[in-house]
Amino acid sequence: MGLIDDAAFLLLSTVAILSGWRVFATDSMVRASFLLMMSFIAVGLIMLLLAAPYIGLATVFMMAVEMMVMALFMVMFMMNPAGLNPMMMVHQHQLAIGAGVFAFVGLTAAVLFTDLPDDRVDPGAPVVHDLGVELLGNSMLIFETAGVTLLATMVGAVVLSSRSGRFGAADEGSRPPGLEVGGEPAGRQPVQGGGGHHHHH
Amino acid sequence: MAVAALRRLALRGPVPVHAAIGTDALAAVDDLSLDPRISVQQSPRHAAILLVAGPLRDEDRSDLCRLHDQLPHPRATVFWRTDPAIQIADPPVVSVEDDAAATIASVYRSLIEEGRPSEPDLQPDTPPNPWRGKGDHGQGGEGMMGGTPYGRPMAMTGDDLRDGLQLDPYTAEFGPFLPVFPPGLKLRITLQGDVIQFAKVLRPPLPQEEQSGPSAALRRIARQLRLLGLTGQAARALRLASVGDGKAAGVRRLRRLVKWSGSGQAIPPGLGRVGGADVRDRLAAWWEVASGETAEARAPDRTLVDLLPGLEWSEAMLVLNSFDIATLTGMCPIEKREDKAHSEEEKDAPEPHDHDGHQDQMRGAA
Amino acid sequence: MQAVAILSVLLLLLFGAWLAAILDRAGNALVAGDRVRTAAVRPLHDLAAHLSRQTTTTEAPDRLNWRLAPVAYLALAALGLSVVPLAPGVVAADFDAGIVLWGACEALTVVVVFLHGWSANSEFPLIGGYRYVAIGLPVMLISMFVLIAAALPAESLSVAAIVESQREIWNVVRQPIGLPLFLLLGLSLTLRGPFDYADSDDLIGGTRAEASGAQLAAWQFARLAMLASVSVMASAVFLGGYLGPVLPGALWLILKSGVVLAVLIAAGHLLARMPPSRMMTFIWTVLLPLSFLDLVLVGAELLIWG
């Protein structure tokens, strides 16, 4: 059993690292999204090996949906989603490489020099049940507040970016009605000539 | 051995046919699709025989060549009710009798079993937009955006109609043989996702025979039913249309079946409002005509290119197919020249490539 | 035991796909008024016809994803089916969190259909692909709520436990709106009928418009296999799976799945398809609240009557 676990771990980690690398080496944005998804799926499957089936499968589930939406946005907004033109996706190339190497060395050192537990989880242990008890018990406050905060943020972002403003279309400088009927619009005057369109290169 | 068995099995099924419909042939092809020996396919890639029915315009010929090249091998072409419009190496197969099904079936059999050679490509297998060696890396593109990499004009951003977001519009010509269009209609459409931003009529639909009466109304209803995903009911409507008389009971039963399918609710209200009637009203009028009553004709007060922008693709198809061909031709005036005033709207639309079939594809087994 | 289960899953997929093909053709013939008997052998002829034709390609497609998409679709159908117990104690993959695996398969199906549409480098398949994403993702949410409501009486996320929890009363009785909502998911996963936004006729066949030959045959087969998989899952979660008085468990499962399969195919042929924007409104304003309601009702019932 240990041999199969080790082999599976090695295979999945290789897949995760390779597909993570390919995310930045590929020209096609859609492929990049799905390679990232594959990397996450590999990590989720590793969590299955760590006796956390719910977390692992939920990671796969969520990442599939998220990367799907990201790929869709690539097609919608990016002018080169298929990578027919070569893409350069990293900014501040040297700094990025330096930070990456530093982080890799630091994390590897942390992993190799820490005393990680190696006791096996009892196969009969009700891990999903225990996870549920933890989520809805001690950690309930965190999860509920995080959930509601995320929802409020999403709603707020949509409201802020939506075209229909409170007093008219947002890109026409929606302005509130005047204090007297037919008078000057109250409130702050919108800045003229706003919103340059910045293309992502 | 296995290949021969496969071929024999393939012969037992109906012949997959893609129909390129010309003048006065729509009703005939609809009737042909009811024949159990024939299965009319929507996409040319799913067919083995290209059926050219009815005379085509001269300008449609190059589109027909492009359509022909998309059928997978083995393929053959059958001309029906028209002279051979394009040059194919073999003596072209022309169906002389009014029932083309027998001719098609025999051509298919000779194609599959008796070694009739598959028709070669009519157009050279080269990309329409030359791209080799151009651009920064020889793939036709420039930097990270722009150019025509691998022959495809790169989408640049443009404002979306609905909310002003800068999205990537896509312009293409949707062409005279598209099965969801009335035959002969060619439009240049700029799409933002699946929402139509601009539309321009390049060629009007071809005139078709017999536009009034219960049979014609049933055929139009069948096209709408097909767009709503009710292919079985559409076939039933076509069968009723091909029967001469005595179909009132059949029409009543079909109407009940369609009512229970929720198609009345499926079509959004207020869609494609022209002359005070929307798509639902026009469909209801056709049902009246199919049941034997008469409906008065309304003159359209808008053109097609005014009606389409802002509609999503399936809604646009419902609107397009909710007019009979004569009315639609009246709604499709061709602008004489590509005048600069109109091209201002399309200034960020890249150079279009042709469809219905789409531009040249690379042939080759995969 | 597990090897038997895996083999049975594959056989069930094959047999189910074949049955679904026959029922689909027969259903179409019935509605259209054609002869039903010739329709029953048509799938075999269609398969042979597809295999004897060339697999064409387009200019600059994403070849890897295009060829892999039907294979992945089939693999997801098999994976989803693997958590369903075929008989007491016979499960190919006995996960504690079987429903979550099924949900992951649903999510990945959306990805696979999008990739199939995207890879062909053609506009109709692409439109079909992203139309499907817009509809498929919310429908997946509906199915998750309904499945959670089915997991509540079982007090477990494993499908085997859910089947066992239906010994007294089937889930279709406990939560009557659950099964219709799950069947809508089934239509969406298999690109059928009112949820056929990916492969529809108004897009000239959608994601399969540019597919021909073996590629097309593989895609159609994968769709039918997914239909079989959804039917078995629905009958396990809502109709009691292998539970039943006289016959052996596996036979009950097959019978119930057959009924669900027939209902799905009938719904595919008889219901009209709305334009995507209208369907979006319908899903978000009617179906999702219904699924919430379903969950709340089951929870209330369990609280009150234990």
Side-chain angles (χ1 to χ4, degrees):
Chain A
M1 214 42 218
L3 191 58
I4 298 184
D5 278 349
D6 287 345
F9 173 75
L10 282 174
L11 178 65
L12 288 172
S13 2
T14 316
V15 168
I17 295 176
L18 277 182
S19 50
W21 163 61
R22 287 304 300 170
V23 171
F24 295 99
T26 185
D27 287 335
S28 162
M29 291 292 103
V30 167
R31 274 199 180 187
S33 314
F34 292 127
L35 281 167
L36 188 58
M37 180 187 81
M38 183 148 59
S39 182
F40 271 117
I41 289 179
V43 170
L45 293 179
I46 290 179
M47 284 199 242
L48 284 181
L49 294 173
L50 292 173
Y54 180 81
I55 296 181
L57 289 174
T59 304
V60 171
F61 186 172
M62 290 193 312
M63 285 306 136
V65 176
E66 291 172 26
M67 294 304 132
M68 181 65 256
V69 176
M70 189 159 102
L72 204 58
F73 270 66
M74 293 294 176
V75 175
M76 275 206 284
F77 286 104
M78 283 219 70
M79 282 161 285
N80 185 15
L84 296 178
N85 273 337
M87 285 293 295
M88 179 63 168
M89 267 183 280
V90 285
H91 303 269
Q92 298 168 294
H93 210 169
Q94 268 87 17
L95 183 60
I97 290 181
V101 167
F102 181 69
F104 180 71
V105 166
L107 283 173
T108 313
V111 164
L112 287 178
F113 291 120
T114 320
D115 230 351
L116 292 168
D118 62 356
D119 38 344
R120 293 198 140 268
V121 174
D122 177 14
V127 283
V128 179
H129 176 262
D130 290 345
L131 179 66
V133 167
E134 173 68 29
L135 277 179
L136 297 174
N138 294 334
S139 305
M140 170 128 98
L141 186 63
I142 300 175
F143 280 100
E144 291 306 310
T145 50
V148 172
T149 311
L150 279 172
L151 183 64
T153 313
M154 283 195 288
V155 171
V158 171
V159 166
L160 282 176
S161 60
S162 145
R163 188 192 211 189
S164 49
R166 194 170 164 201
F167 300 110
D171 53 357
E172 288 158 18
S174 81
R175 301 165 72 180
L179 293 172
E180 288 110 27
V181 172
E184 270 293 302
R188 188 175 67 84
Q189 307 298 320
V191 173
Q192 291 307 315
H197 301 293
H198 175 70
H199 288 303
H200 177 258
H201 278 269
Chain B
M1 196 65 238
V3 177
L6 212 59
R7 288 197 181 137
R8 255 180 288 122
L9 209 53
L11 270 183
R12 305 250 292 268
V15 182
V17 170
H18 183 74
I21 305 177
T23 314
D24 288 338
L26 184 55
V29 171
D30 282 342
D31 290 343
L32 191 67
S33 69
L34 295 171
D35 196 309
R37 293 169 286 180
I38 307 280
S39 158
V40 175
Q41 302 291 324
Q42 299 282 85
S43 167
R45 304 240 187 227
H46 302 166
I49 307 281
L50 179 65
L51 174 70
V52 184
L56 305 171
R57 295 171 292 216
D58 289 338
E59 53 263 29
D60 291 337
R61 248 178 238 155
S62 64
D63 294 304
L64 187 64
C65 293
R66 216 177 302 126
L67 187 65
H68 171 270
D69 288 346
Q70 282 169 39
L71 272 75
H73 290 285
R75 63 182 175 218
T77 310
V78 173
F79 293 93
W80 186 30
R81 297 183 166 202
T82 177
D83 293 325
I86 51 181
Q87 303 296 73
I88 304 183
D90 233 21
V93 182
V94 180
S95 169
V96 289
E97 69 269 4
D98 215 26
D99 174 25
T103 317
I104 293 175
S106 70
V107 170
Y108 188 59
R109 186 170 308 113
S110 63
L111 201 60
I112 300 283
E113 251 186 0
E114 290 147 27
R116 179 197 170 99
S118 175
E119 290 170 1
D121 286 352
L122 294 169
Q123 298 192 306
D125 190 9
T126 52
N129 291 323
W131 55 268
R132 291 192 194 275
K134 295 189 179 176
D136 295 352
H137 303 269
Q139 94 286 29
E142 303 159 3
M144 279 195 279
M145 20 183 264
T148 55
Y150 299 97
R152 276 148 159 68
M154 184 55 67
M156 304 304 279
T157 51
D159 280 348
D160 184 59
L161 268 185
R162 293 164 286 185
D163 51 13
L165 275 181
Q166 292 254 315
L167 300 176
D168 295 348
Y170 175 78
T171 304
E173 292 175 4
F174 293 86
F177 304 117
L178 200 63
V180 288
F181 279 5
L185 178 65
K186 186 165 184 176
L187 295 176
R188 179 181 297 149
I189 301 181
T190 301
L191 289 165
Q192 194 83 274
D194 58 352
V195 173
I196 295 181
Q197 308 285 304
F198 314 112
K200 180 171 190 279
V201 178
L202 297 176
R203 289 179 213 159
L206 290 167
Q208 304 289 334
E209 62 201 357
E210 213 233 304
Q211 286 297 300
S212 58
S215 286
L218 277 170
R219 289 185 210 282
R220 289 194 286 266
I221 289 173
R223 283 180 83 85
Q224 287 283 45
L225 288 178
R226 186 167 216 120
L227 289 174
L228 292 169
L230 303 169
T231 46
Q233 283 90 329
R236 198 180 272 255
L238 285 178
R239 183 161 288 127
L240 282 172
S242 69
V243 161
D245 287 310
K247 48 190 173 205
V251 170
R252 265 200 306 276
R253 240 177 295 135
L254 179 65
R255 195 169 184 177
R256 217 177 1 221
L257 196 59
V258 168
K259 190 163 74 98
W260 280 106
S261 76
S263 64
Q265 289 307 307
I267 301 177
L271 182 66
R273 196 171 283 275
V274 167
D278 65 358
V279 172
R280 283 186 182 182
D281 298 333
R282 288 192 284 273
L283 199 56
W286 289 347
W287 276 114
E288 297 301 314
V289 174
S291 312
E293 286 122 56
T294 50
E296 81 293 348
R298 298 171 195 252
D301 55 1
R302 298 169 73 180
T303 58
L304 189 63
V305 296
D306 293 330
L307 212 49
L308 288 182
L311 288 183
E312 179 266 327
W313 180 266
S314 58
E315 290 171 351
M317 292 303 108
L318 285 172
V319 167
L320 200 59
N321 285 294
S322 70
F323 300 101
D324 55 282
I325 308 272
T327 317
L328 193 63
T329 314
M331 289 170 68
C332 293
I334 311 278
E335 287 133 29
K336 284 305 164 199
R337 284 281 85 182
E338 174 116 11
D339 37 307
K340 291 302 162 197
H342 281 278
S343 69
E344 189 191 308
E345 292 169 344
E346 306 174 4
K347 69 178 183 312
D348 50 7
E351 179 195 300
H353 38 279
D354 298 327
H355 285 274
D356 157 74
H358 339 271
Q359 61 285 2
D360 283 339
Q361 315 291 358
M362 271 186 337
R363 278 299 138 262
Chain C
M1 205 20 71
Q2 199 166 19
V4 168
I6 293 179
L7 194 62
S8 319
V9 161
L10 294 173
L11 281 178
L12 199 57
L13 266 187
L14 206 61
F15 170 66
W18 174 73
L19 182 66
I22 293 182
L23 283 180
D24 192 20
R25 284 287 172 203
N28 198 20
L30 209 61
V31 176
D34 286 334
R35 282 180 313 203
V36 175
R37 202 148 11 109
T38 49
V41 269
R42 205 146 141 209
L44 211 53
H45 301 153
D46 282 347
L47 179 67
H50 286 320
L51 289 178
S52 64
R53 272 201 289 278
Q54 174 200 17
T55 302
T56 56
T57 182
T58 55
E59 192 183 2
D62 190 345
R63 196 177 305 258
L64 178 70
N65 282 324
W66 203 13
R67 303 297 178 223
L68 270 187
V71 176
Y73 201 2
L74 188 60
L76 288 171
L79 206 57
L81 195 52
S82 67
V83 290
V84 175
L86 306 171
V90 180
V91 188
D94 193 5
F95 264 123
D96 264 350
I99 296 187
V100 191
L101 181 68
W102 175 259
C105 289
E106 291 174 18
L108 287 170
T109 301
V110 177
V111 171
V112 160
V113 173
F114 175 77
L115 274 179
H116 192 237
W118 152 264
S119 314
N121 199 7
S122 172
E123 74 283 351
F124 287 125
L126 181 59
I127 297 178
Y130 50 60
R131 251 173 33 161
Y132 179 70
V133 171
I135 303 288
L137 290 181
V139 172
M140 196 176 59
L141 287 180
I142 296 175
S143 85
M144 281 290 105
F145 285 121
V146 161
L147 284 177
I148 291 173
L152 279 178
E155 297 186 3
S156 163
L157 293 177
S158 127
V159 184
I162 293 179
V163 174
E164 278 300 317
S165 78
Q166 296 179 67
R167 280 206 182 266
E168 292 91 45
I169 173 174
W170 284 359
N171 274 335
V172 70
V173 178
R174 203 195 289 267
Q175 38 163 349
I177 26 179
L179 185 57
L181 288 175
F182 194 78
L183 289 182
L184 291 183
L185 166 85
L187 289 175
S188 164
L189 274 184
T190 55
L191 318 176
R192 194 163 283 278
F195 283 88
D196 186 8
Y197 292 100
D199 274 11
S200 55
D201 265 350
D202 64 347
L203 284 179
I204 322 295
T207 64
R208 64 186 156 92
E210 301 280 359
S212 72
Q215 166 94 14
L216 184 61
W219 183 252
Q220 299 288 64
F221 177 69
R223 274 176 63 180
L224 294 166
M226 181 58 91
L227 186 57
S229 179
V230 167
S231 311
V232 174
M233 181 75 177
S235 56
V237 171
F238 292 99
L239 295 177
Y242 54 70
L243 298 170
V246 172
L247 303 168
L251 200 54
W252 269 121
L253 185 65
I254 292 178
L255 282 175
K256 292 176 193 175
S257 311
V259 169
V260 176
L261 190 65
V263 169
L264 276 176
I265 289 178
H269 285 298
L270 292 176
L271 295 177
R273 180 176 58 234
M274 303 187 227
S277 40
R278 198 164 165 79
M279 175 58 91
M280 283 278 271
T281 314
F282 182 62
I283 291 177
W284 285 97
T285 56
V286 175
L287 292 182
L288 263 177
L290 263 184
S291 64
F292 285 147
L293 186 67
D294 183 48
L295 187 56
V296 163
L297 282 178
V298 172
E301 183 227 327
L302 283 174
L303 272 179
I304 298 178
W305 287 293

